């Protein structure tokens, strides 16, 4: 009797082991992802973003700290902006909620380190991936005493930071401007640099680059106007092509000037978000855009 019980138990154990071996292995995060195509300088992928020659799909990964997800209105406007200026018909937006890094402020290198830890979307086949991080901490370059606060910055060919906490604080100061308004202006301006504007991967057809603020436009009212940024590193972002090198941004979008511009447009009854001027549009079309 005991022998029969032992054999029965043995059969059950063998059955359970066999079943467990049939189960697929647990999914492990990819350790050998080729990130090289997403570690180039700002503007280096301008033609790939604008045209369908090498990539037919844009995959936008929105990484955000809990409580700092961008508004649906701003994201809808952003996708419309991409469809207007590129030939990408297939645009997918995915969201990745992340824990707070619990930092008082963030440097670009810290932002890049967070990207390496958390980014899931990279170029693959005909899909070009963009990473945008909405942070719960301001930039370490901010100088509130001088009224200089950074809304966003680009630091690689497919990487962008939006300091959402600063966006929200800025919008709260105005009765007429919403979070979505500031988000839209910030996203569209910074993505203009990923389009290669100005002279940052999309060569100017006519000279309209501001001599005092490289990579920005000198045409009044343009989305890429030099007035909208307060620090320029003379194309330093184009040299930031390694995961370990010091990162610099070609543009730090100034909250104060953006707020003034948006309020000025509202007072005139104009469209709140500024648009690209005719010269910038000409540059994009010459580099494969619509």
């Amino acid at each position: 009797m005991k022998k029969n019980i032992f054999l029965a138990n043995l059969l059950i154990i063998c059955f359970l082991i066999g079943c467990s071996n049939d189960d697929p292995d647990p999914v492990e995060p990819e350790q050998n992802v080729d990130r090289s195509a997403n570690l180039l300088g700002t503007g280096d992928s301008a033609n790939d973003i604008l045209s369908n020659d090498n990539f037919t799909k844009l995959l936008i990964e929105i990484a955000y700290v809990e409580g700092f997800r961008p508004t649906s209105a701003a994201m809808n406007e952003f996708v419309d902006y991409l469809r207007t200026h590129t030939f990408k018909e297939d645009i997918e937006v995915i969201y990745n909620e992340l824990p707070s890094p619990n930092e008082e402020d963030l440097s670009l290198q810290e932002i890049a380190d967070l990207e390496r830890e958390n980014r899931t979307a990279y170029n693959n086949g005909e899909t070009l991936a963009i990473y945008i991080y909405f942070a719960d901490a301001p930039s370490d370059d901010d100088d509130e005493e001088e009224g200089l606060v950074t809304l966003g910055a680009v630091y690689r060919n497919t990487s962008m930071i939006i300091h959402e906490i600063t966006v929200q604080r800025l919008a709260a100061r105005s009765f007429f401007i919403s979070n979505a308004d500031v988000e839209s202006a910030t996203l569209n301006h910074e993505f203009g640099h990923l389009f290669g504007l100005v002279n940052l991967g999309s060569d100017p057809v006519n000279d309209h680059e501001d001599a005092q603020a490289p990579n920005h436009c000198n045409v009044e009212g343009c989305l890429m106007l030099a007035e909208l940024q307060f620090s320029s590193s003379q194309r330093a972002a184009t040299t930031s092509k390694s995961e370990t090198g010091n990162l610099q941004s070609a543009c730090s979008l100034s909250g104060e000037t953006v707020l003034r511009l948006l309020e000025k447009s509202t007072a005139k009854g104009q469209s709140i978000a500024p648009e690209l001027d005719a010269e910038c549009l000409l540059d994009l079309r010459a580099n494969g855009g619509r």
Side-chain angles (χ1 to χ4, degrees):
M1 181 68 176
K2 290 182 179 179
K3 184 177 181 180
N4 290 338
I5 293 174
F6 173 77
L7 290 173
N9 289 336
L10 183 61
L11 287 171
I12 292 172
I13 292 171
C14 290
F15 175 76
L16 291 175
I17 291 174
C19 288
S20 64
N21 287 339
D22 288 339
D23 288 340
D25 292 332
V27 177
E28 297 289 340
E30 283 192 75
Q31 301 298 322
N32 298 314
V33 175
D34 183 4
R35 299 178 173 89
S36 59
N38 299 98
L39 296 174
L40 306 178
T42 302
D44 282 357
S45 294
N47 177 262
D48 285 337
I49 293 171
L50 292 165
S51 74
N52 281 346
D53 292 347
N54 297 316
F55 298 92
T56 58
K57 177 178 179 177
L58 276 181
L59 177 60
I60 313 292
E61 179 175 1
I62 302 297
Y64 65 96
V65 175
E66 182 180 4
F68 294 88
R69 176 170 171 152
T71 61
S72 297
M75 289 307 303
N76 289 338
E77 287 191 29
F78 178 53
V79 172
D80 288 344
Y81 173 75
L82 297 177
R83 293 189 191 281
T84 298
H85 299 298
T86 79
F87 280 96
K88 299 292 189 296
E89 296 292 340
D90 190 357
I91 301 175
E92 180 183 358
V93 180
I94 59 175
Y95 293 87
N96 183 11
E97 183 176 293
L98 301 173
S100 172
N102 295 315
E103 298 286 348
E104 290 186 3
D105 53 42
L106 290 170
S107 68
L108 277 181
Q109 189 57 57
E110 289 171 325
I111 292 162
D113 291 341
L114 289 169
E115 176 183 0
R116 177 171 175 79
E117 294 171 12
N118 299 303
R119 180 169 180 167
T120 66
Y122 293 90
N123 293 3
N124 184 19
E126 294 188 355
T127 298
L128 191 155
I130 306 290
Y131 180 84
I132 307 176
Y133 179 53
F134 285 77
D136 66 341
S139 167
D140 69 342
D141 283 334
D142 285 1
D143 186 343
E144 295 194 23
E145 291 185 2
E146 295 294 325
L148 300 177
V149 292
T150 309
L151 296 177
V154 287
Y155 54 97
R156 287 192 181 121
N157 60 321
T158 63
S159 301
M160 184 191 305
I161 170 70
I162 305 294
H163 293 282
E164 180 66 15
I165 190 169
T166 306
V167 167
Q168 294 181 7
R169 289 172 178 171
L170 193 72
R173 290 169 42 187
S174 173
F175 288 108
F176 308 103
I177 306 302
S178 67
N179 287 350
D181 296 329
V182 183
E183 287 168 354
S184 292
T186 304
L187 281 165
N188 292 359
H189 176 96
E190 295 301 343
F191 211 92
H193 290 304
L194 299 190
F195 283 156
L197 298 172
V198 173
N199 196 22
L200 192 60
S202 290
D203 294 336
V205 176
N206 302 306
D207 184 18
H208 61 105
E209 182 178 13
D210 194 295
Q212 303 303 315
N215 310 134
H216 287 81
C217 189
N218 61 13
V219 178
E220 185 65 31
C222 179
L223 173 66
M224 305 308 295
L225 190 66
E227 180 188 354
L228 296 180
Q229 59 94 42
F230 73 81
S231 92
S232 175
S233 56
Q234 312 227 346
R235 299 174 69 102
T238 62
T239 65
S240 301
K241 298 185 180 183
S242 72
E243 294 183 83
T244 57
N246 293 326
L247 289 170
Q248 291 178 292
S249 172
C251 169
S252 294
L253 195 62
S254 170
E256 296 296 324
T257 52
V258 169
L259 184 62
R260 287 198 299 270
L261 179 66
L262 294 177
E263 290 181 328
K264 184 178 179 180
S265 297
T266 303
K268 290 183 176 181
Q270 299 173 344
S271 173
I272 288 182
E275 298 179 352
L276 295 174
D277 77 296
E279 293 296 340
C280 283
L281 292 177
L282 197 60
D283 295 348
L284 297 190
R285 292 181 187 125
N287 196 25
R290 286 190 188 273

